[in-house]
Amino acid sequence: MNDSLATWLTTALAIGGAAVILLSLIGFLRMPDVYCRSHALGVGSTCGFTLLMLALWGDLGTEAAGFKVIAAIAFQLLTIPVSSHLLALQARRNRLPAFGEPGFEKQAEKDSH
Amino acid sequence: MTYAALTLPLVLLVVAMLLALVRVARGPTIYDRIMAFDALVVCAAGVVALLSLAWHTTVFLELILIVSSLGFFSTVAFAYYLDRARPPASVRRRRQRQPSRT
């Protein structure tokens, strides 16, 4: 009983994590400018990766894999937002126009070919 | 954990990697390409996590840590390089038109 419950929980966490990562990449493909894209990617892939690592933790058990799983989760929680912020900062310093700002349509037209 | 239960998340992650590759090929700016590469690395770490779920082993946890830290440090290196390097021609033209904000 307990074993099958753990299996169900692990499977649900794995499917949920993969689905969240897929949704964030769909958003990454469809958003109009760099800042929206970095937002979609940073939020979604952090959450999805955390869910996948929690699934791994539930399957392997605390005594076998506790510290390394927590270290991987903490590392990704720290670094995915940092890299997303870093790239958005670079884009802002190089004056890429955001969606709705003046010059965005011209830039998008220039980028499209 | 059986293989059959993990087929669906593996397929979802592979579709996500294909979407990131589409953004690498299409992305209008260099920042989109770097972000898509970062997303590819995260998806690869997720695939390794799913494989170690399927095989019931802990030996790939170091691989997950190493792959994710390589993705982060390569992103930081790219951002540092773009900060120091000569900006691309379109950015230089825009800088000449507008005075600096900072």
Side-chain angles (χ1 to χ4, degrees):
Chain A
M1 171 59 204
N2 203 9
D3 202 30
S4 81
L5 183 67
T7 308
W8 273 106
L9 197 62
T10 311
T11 313
L13 278 174
I15 293 176
V20 169
I21 288 183
L22 178 64
L23 279 180
S24 91
L25 276 159
I26 290 173
F28 181 57
L29 204 62
R30 287 192 54 85
M31 287 289 176
D33 67 352
V34 182
Y35 312 105
C36 297
R37 279 180 213 132
S38 83
H39 173 77
L41 197 64
V43 173
S45 60
T46 309
C47 176
F49 189 81
T50 306
L51 287 180
L52 278 178
M53 293 311 286
L54 283 181
L56 190 57
W57 198 21
D59 187 63
L60 296 179
T62 322
E63 68 277 4
F67 174 68
K68 282 173 196 161
V69 171
I70 292 176
I73 291 177
F75 188 76
Q76 290 286 46
L77 274 180
L78 280 177
T79 57
I80 294 178
V82 166
S83 62
S84 157
H85 172 79
L86 206 57
L87 288 173
L89 187 72
Q90 285 292 317
R92 198 64 192 167
R93 285 180 68 189
N94 285 329
R95 291 173 190 74
L96 283 177
F99 181 65
E101 278 183 354
F104 176 73
E105 276 86 10
K106 233 172 81 183
Q107 178 73 23
E109 197 180 312
K110 206 164 62 184
D111 287 339
S112 68
H113 52 76
Chain B
M1 179 75 40
T2 56
Y3 284 101
L6 290 177
T7 313
L8 178 62
L10 269 177
V11 168
L12 290 181
L13 276 185
V14 168
V15 172
M17 288 175 98
L18 288 180
L19 291 182
L21 280 180
V22 168
R23 182 49 84 187
V24 168
R26 217 173 71 177
T29 61
I30 183 82
Y31 310 107
D32 295 299
R33 294 198 168 99
I34 299 171
M35 271 189 267
F37 171 73
D38 206 20
L40 266 179
V41 170
V42 171
C43 289
V47 168
V48 174
L50 285 180
L51 285 180
S52 55
L53 262 181
W55 293 333
H56 263 302
T57 172
T58 58
V59 295
F60 294 129
L61 283 174
E62 287 91 356
L63 182 63
I64 294 173
L65 275 171
I66 290 169
V67 164
S68 51
S69 64
L70 271 183
F72 172 65
F73 290 128
S74 66
T75 307
V76 171
F78 264 127
Y80 183 76
Y81 167 71
L82 285 177
D83 193 29
R84 298 286 161 181
R86 185 177 158 85
S90 57
V91 173
R92 261 183 282 130
R93 256 180 271 123
R94 204 177 303 125
R95 272 188 188 166
Q96 279 168 9
R97 265 185 272 121
Q98 306 171 359
S100 175
R101 257 186 223 155
T102 49

